[in-house]
């Protein structure tokens, strides 16, 4: 990943991570402070404003390194998960880091104030959020902040799926959201990143880096034949995953949701906007 990419490198003209001293120019260099996301998910924005572009999101339990915290309530951070850099509301973070024991395995898991599903939920956590269960209470796990969660909505943090495509397929119908990473809304590269993470594969956040770093290139036939379940298809700024030899699953900015459609149909439609398929890549992972 290029040190010059501001999305992946904690450097600004006035401030940079101390680990970059001698590699980049900045007015001052600072040591970062590791912090943990405590909100269900936190926006990572391009500028320290609520109306600034959403670049990505950090889920509960994830770790960020904060290099600056402003009086206006913003922290300039780098996400440890995928190196993404941006501004996060300080109220979504804490300095105390508690090691996660479990991750949310359902699309959305309610949090309760006690051990009863009849109690009004206080919040909900998205698929993939990480939590620390400190004790069991019947069918519930009690989290480190005192919230209760249905135990079977969780999986051990190290558990992985044997079919990352099936994990992606669970998102069919989820709304498209630029920069989103949850079932409240996500974009094309987040769909691939999240699905691969469920299989224990760390993937970059953006499609252009995924295209460069994931799998091995395929010689794509002119008629788009010869593809397998799990192959990734790339356009400039877009990615999808094959469900089988013909069907593409992707978070589509055209349909504004996660859809499944014939690859040839998607390719023809996208070509009309001036974008051709740039590559296909095979990961070599189990998809059954």
């Amino acid at each position: 990943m290029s040190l010059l990419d501001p999305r992946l490198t904690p450097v600004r003209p006035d401030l940079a991570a101390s680990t970059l001293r001698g590699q980049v120019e900045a007015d001052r260099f600072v040591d970062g402070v590791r912090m943990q996301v405590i909100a269900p998910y936190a926006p990572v924005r391009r500028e320290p404003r609520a109306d600034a572009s959403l670049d990505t999101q950090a889920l509960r339990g994830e770790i960020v390194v904060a290099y600056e915290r402003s009086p206006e309530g913003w922290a300039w951070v780098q996400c440890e998960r995928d190196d993404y850099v941006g501004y996060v509301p300080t109220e979504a973070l804490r300095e105390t880091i508690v090691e996660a024991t479990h991750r949310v395995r359902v699309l959305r898991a309610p949090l309760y104030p006690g051990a009863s599903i009849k109690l009004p939920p206080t919040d909900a956590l998205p698929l993939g959020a990480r939590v620390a269960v400190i004790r069991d209470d019947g069918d519930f796990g009690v989290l480190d902040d005192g919230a209760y969660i249905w135990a079977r909505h969780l999986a051990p943090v190290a558990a992985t799926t044997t079919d990352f495509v099936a994990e992606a397929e669970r998102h069919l119908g989820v709304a498209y959201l630029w920069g989103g990473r949850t079932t409240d809304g996500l974009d094309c590269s987040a769909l691939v990143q999240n699905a691969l993470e469920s299989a224990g594969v760390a993937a970059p956040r953006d499609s252009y880096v995924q295209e460069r770093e994931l799998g091995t290139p395929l010689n794509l036939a002119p008629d788009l034949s010869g593809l397998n379940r799990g192959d990734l298809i790339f356009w400039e700024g877009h990615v999808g995953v094959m469900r089988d030899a013909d069907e593409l699953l992707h978070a589509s900015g055209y349909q504004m949701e996660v859809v499944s459609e014939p690859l040839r149909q998607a390719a023809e439609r996208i070509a009309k906007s001036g974008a051709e398929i740039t590559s296909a890549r095979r990961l070599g992972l189990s998809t059954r």
Side-chain angles (χ1 to χ4, degrees):
M1 297 184 183
S2 172
L3 287 175
L4 300 179
D5 189 337
R7 290 171 291 187
L8 303 173
T9 310
V11 58
R12 305 183 324 215
D14 64 320
L15 181 65
S18 59
T19 55
L20 297 174
R21 193 185 301 272
Q23 303 176 56
V24 299
E25 294 184 0
D27 292 341
R28 61 192 177 98
F29 294 84
V30 300
D31 296 328
V33 177
R34 296 180 81 237
M35 303 185 75
Q36 191 165 40
V37 178
I38 54 173
Y41 53 91
V44 181
R45 298 195 183 277
R46 195 163 301 176
E47 302 288 343
R49 308 188 321 270
D51 62 349
S53 175
L54 179 68
D55 280 345
T56 189
Q57 294 168 323
L59 307 190
R60 173 163 168 166
E62 293 181 357
I63 307 300
V64 303
V65 180
Y67 294 99
E68 179 185 65
R69 282 174 275 180
S70 72
E72 294 75 27
W74 293 94
W76 186 55
V77 310
Q78 183 172 41
C79 302
E80 286 193 351
R81 178 179 187 261
D82 53 21
D83 293 334
Y84 233 83
V85 174
Y87 294 87
V88 173
T90 308
E91 64 183 6
L93 306 173
R94 68 180 178 193
E95 286 195 39
T96 301
I97 294 177
V98 180
E99 185 175 357
T101 60
H102 293 78
R103 60 176 177 82
V104 174
R105 67 167 192 82
V106 294
L107 298 183
R108 192 170 174 84
L111 296 177
Y112 299 93
S116 171
I117 62 172
K118 296 182 179 180
L119 293 171
T122 58
D123 216 330
L125 300 180
L127 176 71
R130 294 175 176 236
V131 297
V133 176
I134 58 172
R135 62 182 175 89
D136 296 326
D137 188 344
D139 289 324
F140 289 83
V142 183
L143 306 185
D144 62 294
D145 63 356
Y148 287 69
I149 189 168
W150 188 251
R152 289 189 288 279
H153 285 169
L154 301 175
V157 72
T160 58
T161 180
T162 57
D163 184 353
F164 84 94
V165 180
E167 191 73 9
E169 289 170 333
R170 298 176 66 193
H171 293 75
L172 277 165
V174 170
Y176 179 91
L177 175 65
W178 179 275
R181 274 188 56 212
T182 78
T183 51
D184 285 343
L186 82 174
D187 59 29
C188 63
S189 54
L191 177 67
V192 170
Q193 185 190 42
N194 291 351
L196 286 173
E197 185 175 73
S198 74
V201 177
R205 176 63 177 90
D206 287 337
S207 60
Y208 79 97
V209 190
Q210 292 174 355
E211 184 173 20
R212 187 175 67 211
E213 298 188 2
L214 294 178
T216 57
L218 298 173
N219 291 320
L220 195 60
D223 64 356
L224 305 182
S225 62
L227 293 167
N228 293 340
R229 179 176 172 87
D231 290 342
L232 301 180
I233 309 298
F234 291 92
W235 292 259
E236 184 177 354
H238 190 58
V239 62
V241 59
M242 298 302 296
R243 301 180 72 185
D244 54 32
D246 303 304
E247 198 79 2
L248 178 76
L249 179 74
H250 61 141
S252 168
Y254 176 78
Q255 287 102 334
M256 288 300 291
E257 63 181 300
V258 178
V259 298
S260 179
E261 61 179 325
L263 173 61
R264 292 177 183 83
Q265 173 181 299
E268 289 173 2
R269 182 184 67 250
I270 296 172
K272 290 178 181 178
S273 69
E276 300 288 344
I277 293 174
T278 54
S279 72
R281 300 185 71 88
R282 182 160 294 167
L283 301 176
L285 299 175
S286 171
T287 56
R288 292 295 179 195

